[in-house]
Amino acid sequence: MSKLTLGIICFFFISCSIPRYNSIAHTSLYDISLQKGKWFVNYVAIDGKPWNDFSDYTENELQKCLQDSLFKSFGSKNAIYAIPELNSKNYKQYTTLLKVTKTVDYLIQISGKIESNNVSAVNITPNSPHSTSLVSVTLTAYEVETDRIIYSETVNGSIDLEHHKEDVVFAKSTQSMLKKCLEKALQKFKRNGGCN
């Protein structure tokens, strides 16, 4: 390997700003079992809007585990319900409606937010001292019969360029960070639910 090639590789790694991810549990994460009941997954919403590719990814990941116990919402032939994005204000209204149908036992809602988006994929000097990107994805599972939240966790992703004020910096886009947050949230949900 030539010195020039080695220098380019070193420059690239030094110039990369790696996102940090952390998760916050809002409920116990161990009181669920994906081995029982029928599960309905609503579409994935980011900042209140449906994201088709994230919804497809979520359905495919959950299908591996839940198989015939999974009822899909977004863009699916076997979609049985069309409900809006669930939140703390409206979820009881829709779990009550689903309770009457007696077709599903649990409901999954995944919602994301882009809190800030000040870092692009390639950042050239000078960077603002407040150049950050911050995203989050929350996975919430509701029990239809009791109208209660049985699982809720938020995965946050962030990039902060405070230490790279004078450099050219390569960073992940907010969409890539959201996808990684979604992957981490689904992996933990499946693992805690007994699906390996």
Side-chain angles (χ1 to χ4, degrees):
M1 186 180 301
S2 73
K3 290 181 181 180
L4 178 61
T5 305
L6 185 60
I8 291 171
I9 292 171
C10 287
F11 172 77
F12 179 76
F13 281 112
I14 290 170
S15 299
C16 285
S17 184
I18 299 170
R20 290 182 307 234
Y21 298 95
N22 67 350
S23 60
I24 301 165
H26 306 290
T27 61
S28 169
L29 301 182
Y30 308 105
D31 294 339
I32 60 163
S33 172
L34 299 176
Q35 314 304 315
K36 61 179 184 178
K38 300 283 186 184
W39 294 77
F40 171 69
V41 60
N42 204 16
Y43 63 85
V44 176
I46 306 296
D47 289 329
K49 297 180 181 85
W51 279 38
N52 298 6
D53 52 339
F54 283 17
S55 295
D56 291 341
Y57 174 79
T58 299
E59 289 177 356
N60 290 336
E61 285 300 304
L62 292 174
Q63 187 78 59
K64 296 172 189 175
C65 186
L66 295 168
Q67 298 174 9
D68 292 337
S69 296
L70 179 65
F71 291 83
K72 304 172 189 177
S73 169
F74 193 82
S76 303
K77 291 180 183 174
N78 61 340
I80 55 172
Y81 305 111
I83 61 175
E85 176 187 7
L86 297 177
N87 56 47
S88 60
K89 295 177 183 172
N90 72 358
Y91 80 88
K92 287 192 177 183
Q93 172 188 351
Y94 290 99
T95 53
T96 301
L97 288 173
L98 290 173
K99 194 186 309 183
V100 174
T101 67
K102 298 186 178 181
T103 52
V104 295
D105 303 299
Y106 304 97
L107 175 61
I108 299 167
Q109 177 67 63
I110 299 175
S111 303
K113 288 183 184 176
I114 300 173
E115 303 286 346
S116 65
N117 185 13
N118 301 320
V119 179
S120 57
V122 178
N123 299 273
I124 301 172
T125 58
N127 289 313
S128 160
H130 303 293
S131 292
T132 61
S133 284
L134 177 62
V135 300
S136 65
V137 170
T138 301
L139 188 154
T140 307
Y142 305 88
E143 186 174 50
V144 171
E145 184 62 34
T146 61
D147 293 326
R148 69 183 182 99
I149 296 171
I150 58 169
Y151 183 102
S152 183
E153 180 184 29
T154 299
V155 178
N156 299 301
S158 64
I159 292 178
D160 187 350
L161 298 188
E162 184 177 349
H163 302 296
H164 295 284
K165 292 178 190 167
E166 303 298 326
D167 304 327
V168 173
V169 180
F170 300 96
K172 280 195 168 191
S173 67
T174 52
Q175 183 164 346
S176 296
M177 289 169 50
L178 281 166
K179 180 72 180 286
K180 184 54 99 175
C181 289
L182 176 61
E183 289 171 1
K184 287 178 176 292
L186 285 169
Q187 285 171 1
K188 199 162 185 183
F189 179 66
K190 292 191 301 182
R191 185 173 63 247
N192 291 335
C195 177
N196 298 325

